[in-house]
């Protein structure tokens, strides 16, 4: 029934209606917001609404942008999921978090956020994301009503060609970008160079966020398993994590800590049960700053392609990333040009890499995709041993 022509037409009509209604709503909200700030503050608004991992990769660029505009008041508009990090860094005069799900679905919430951003009266607005999104990032940029609106020429990963054609007109400057595949840190550096800012593909060193986490972590040396991911298709099987854990504990004697979101608590419990190893399960029990400090104190982290391995890089903790091919080359592996402690990516290359997680190979939709399943325990163990040997 859901694949019938009638259903597809109905969905298309609903999407068009949503697009038109949100566009009108945004225009009204920004007009009202601009009335509340009749004069420009001369400030700068930076827009970065990525999820945790992408945001962490952007932190070095954030420092460089704040230094470049050090004579101006700088406001950051970010994903609500990452709000604790920029709020504690003290490099922004104001942080405006946005709940992306509510912003995309709740007209009242969207209206209030658009109005709040328009009321800033900024003179410069910069949408820093390469893969732009019409109804979120681009719409937030438009809401600023800044005289100077800057963004990347971008690509079509998250936006339809006709949407990009429309939103490109909202910018006063679109920074050119290479059409070649680039790792995200290199892409961020490319964007800053287009603004005349000297930049290299570097991971920021995340300063200690000052949380007292003594009560959370073991007193002895420990390693972390991060078994979750944004989708089950990216998650290495639980039984393999369990077998891997047994070998690492046997070799090192380190304590085991499992981390993740609240929804990943049961997955972590399954690994503990299958491995037979006594462990601390912190899934869903830490804030983002606490999680960062727990990673900082670990000897090693092993996880899927998630924010955890990127955070590990910012706190100089060795890590192993079990990598699929969906976004291969963009976020992982780190390029050779990147300095610092880089995650070791373990993967089984296939000719379909770069599919944007639209897997064309036959697989159970409730399990990981074939390229993730093909990563062997021995390969992950070998990468971990290499890092352990270097400690």
């Amino acid at each position: 029934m859901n694949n019938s022509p009638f259903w597809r037409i109905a969905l298309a009509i609903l999407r068009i209606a949503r697009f038109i209604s949100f566009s009108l709503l945004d225009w009204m909200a920004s007009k009202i917001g601009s009335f509340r700030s009749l004069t420009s503050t001369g400030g700068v608004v930076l827009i970065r609404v990525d999820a945790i991992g992408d945001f962490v990769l952007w932190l070095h660029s954030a420092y460089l942008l704040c230094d470049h505009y050090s004579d101006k008041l700088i406001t950051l508009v970010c994903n609500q999921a990452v709000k604790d990090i920029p709020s504690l860094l003290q490099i922004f005069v104001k942080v405006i978090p946005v709940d992306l799900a509510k912003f995309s679905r709740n007209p009242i919430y969207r209206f209030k956020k658009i109005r709040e951003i328009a009321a800033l009266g900024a003179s410069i607005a910069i949408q820093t994301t390469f893969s732009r999104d019409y109804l979120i990032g681009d719409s937030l940029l438009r809401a600023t009503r800044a005289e100077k609106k800057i963004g990347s020429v971008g690509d079509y990963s998250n936006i339809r060609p006709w949407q990009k054609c429309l939103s490109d007109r909202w910018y006063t400057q679109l920074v050119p970008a290479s059409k070649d595949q680039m790792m995200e840190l290199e892409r961020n550096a490319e964007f800053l160079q287009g603004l005349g800012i000297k930049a290299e593909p570097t991971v920021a060193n995340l300063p200690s966020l000052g949380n007292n986490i003594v009560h959370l972590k073991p007193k002895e040396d420990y390693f972390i398993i991060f078994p979750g991911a944004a989708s089950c298709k990216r998650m290495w099987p639980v039984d393999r994590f369990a077998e891997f854990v047994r070998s690492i504990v046997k070799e090192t004697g380190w304590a085991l800590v499992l981390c993740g979101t609240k929804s990943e608590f049961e997955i972590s419990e399954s690994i503990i049960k299958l491995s037979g190893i006594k462990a601390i399960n912190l899934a869903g029990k830490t804030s983002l700053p606490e999680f960062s400090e727990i990673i900082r104190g670990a000897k090693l982290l092993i996880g899927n392609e998630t924010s955890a391995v990127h955070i590990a890089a910012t706190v100089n903790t060795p890590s192993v990333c079990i990598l699929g091919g969906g976004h291969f080359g963009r976020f992982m592996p780190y390029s050779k040009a990147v300095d610092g402690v880089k995650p070791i990516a373990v993967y089984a290359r296939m000719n379909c890499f770069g599919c944007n997680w639209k897997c064309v190979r036959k697989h159970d939709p409730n399990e990981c995709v074939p390229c993730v399943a093909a990563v062997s325990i021995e390969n992950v163990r070998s990468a971990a041993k290499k890092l352990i040997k270097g400690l």
Side-chain angles (χ1 to χ4, degrees):
M1 180 179 176
N2 289 354
N3 292 323
S4 67
F6 173 79
W7 183 255
R8 290 198 297 269
I9 292 171
L11 284 177
I13 292 172
L14 286 174
R15 291 193 188 101
I16 293 171
R18 175 171 169 262
F19 173 82
I20 294 173
S21 61
F22 273 16
S23 295
L24 291 173
L25 184 76
D26 291 354
W27 180 81
M28 291 173 58
S30 62
K31 278 288 187 181
I32 293 172
S34 64
F35 291 149
R36 296 172 62 185
S37 180
L38 297 178
T39 58
S40 173
T41 63
V44 177
V45 175
L46 302 180
I47 298 169
R48 190 76 183 195
V49 290
D50 287 334
I52 298 170
D54 297 5
F55 185 84
V56 167
L57 288 174
W58 178 72
L59 278 178
H60 181 66
S61 294
Y63 283 113
L64 293 179
L65 282 164
C66 287
D67 183 63
H68 185 72
Y69 293 105
S70 59
D71 60 330
K72 301 182 184 297
L73 300 176
I74 302 176
T75 297
L76 173 70
V77 179
C78 66
N79 188 329
Q80 183 169 284
V82 308
K83 64 182 178 64
D84 288 337
I85 290 181
S87 295
L88 292 170
L89 293 181
Q90 299 182 340
I91 59 175
F92 305 105
V93 68
K94 186 175 184 178
V95 176
I96 299 178
V98 178
D99 183 322
L100 302 191
K102 290 176 68 174
F103 188 77
S104 299
R105 300 169 188 167
N106 188 320
I108 296 175
Y109 178 85
R110 186 182 183 94
F111 184 90
K112 289 180 179 178
K113 282 297 176 182
I114 293 289
R115 187 179 61 185
E116 179 182 5
I117 292 167
L120 293 171
S123 59
I124 301 173
I126 306 175
Q127 217 283 62
T128 65
T129 306
F130 174 70
S131 294
R132 291 161 30 204
D133 178 281
Y134 182 93
L135 284 176
I136 300 179
D138 281 1
S139 293
L140 290 168
L141 180 284
R142 183 191 188 194
T144 64
R145 301 185 71 83
E147 293 180 6
K148 192 173 184 180
K149 301 185 185 75
I150 304 170
S152 171
V153 68
D155 63 5
Y156 296 102
S157 295
N158 297 326
I159 195 169
R160 296 174 184 271
W162 64 269
Q163 291 176 328
K164 189 174 183 301
C165 183
L166 287 174
S167 61
D168 277 355
R169 300 177 184 180
W170 299 343
Y171 292 83
T172 59
Q173 179 184 352
L174 287 172
V175 178
S178 171
K179 293 183 179 179
D180 296 335
Q181 184 185 61
M182 298 177 72
M183 195 264 165
E184 191 74 355
L185 290 167
E186 294 177 306
R187 187 67 73 184
N188 291 339
E190 176 191 56
F191 180 71
L192 293 186
Q193 291 163 6
L195 297 178
I197 301 172
K198 186 177 179 180
E200 298 294 335
T202 303
V203 177
N205 290 319
L206 189 65
S208 177
L209 303 179
N211 283 277
N212 183 1
I213 59 168
V214 174
H215 65 292
L216 294 173
K217 65 180 185 178
K219 294 180 181 180
E220 64 268 43
D221 289 341
Y222 63 94
F223 72 106
I224 296 173
I225 293 292
F226 195 95
S231 167
C232 64
K233 66 177 68 174
R234 305 189 194 192
M235 293 166 56
W236 206 43
V238 168
D239 59 333
R240 297 191 198 178
F241 269 120
E243 184 176 339
F244 170 81
V245 161
R246 284 194 296 269
S247 65
I248 295 299
V249 171
K250 182 178 180 180
E251 180 176 345
T252 65
W254 294 341
L256 169 62
V257 175
L258 292 105
C259 295
T261 63
K262 186 176 180 179
S263 64
E264 292 156 357
F265 182 85
E266 291 303 324
I267 297 173
S268 298
E269 285 293 295
S270 297
I271 293 173
I272 295 172
K273 183 177 180 180
L274 285 171
S275 68
I277 301 295
K278 185 179 179 181
I280 298 176
N281 186 355
L282 295 179
K285 297 181 179 180
T286 61
S287 65
L288 182 54
E290 287 172 338
F291 176 50
S292 301
E293 293 309 303
I294 289 167
I295 294 177
R296 190 192 302 275
K299 303 292 286 185
L300 177 68
L301 180 144
I302 298 92
N304 300 305
E305 186 189 4
T306 65
S307 61
V309 292
H310 298 304
I311 293 174
T314 69
V315 297
N316 296 315
T317 295
S319 65
V320 176
C321 174
I322 300 163
L323 179 63
H327 291 150
F328 190 86
R330 176 158 184 185
F331 304 103
M332 193 72 64
Y334 281 29
S335 66
K336 294 180 179 179
V338 178
D339 294 325
V341 177
K342 295 181 283 191
I344 293 181
V346 181
Y347 53 91
R349 184 179 281 279
M350 296 181 175
N351 58 14
C352 53
F353 269 28
C355 67
N356 201 26
W357 294 110
K358 297 175 182 177
C359 185
V360 296
R361 293 175 181 259
K362 186 177 180 180
H363 67 282
D364 187 329
N366 296 316
E367 296 181 1
C368 64
V369 292
C371 59
V372 175
V375 177
S376 71
I377 296 172
E378 186 52 43
N379 285 342
V380 178
R381 187 185 292 123
S382 176
K385 285 184 176 181
K386 181 179 178 181
L387 292 175
I388 293 168
K389 186 176 180 180
L391 294 176

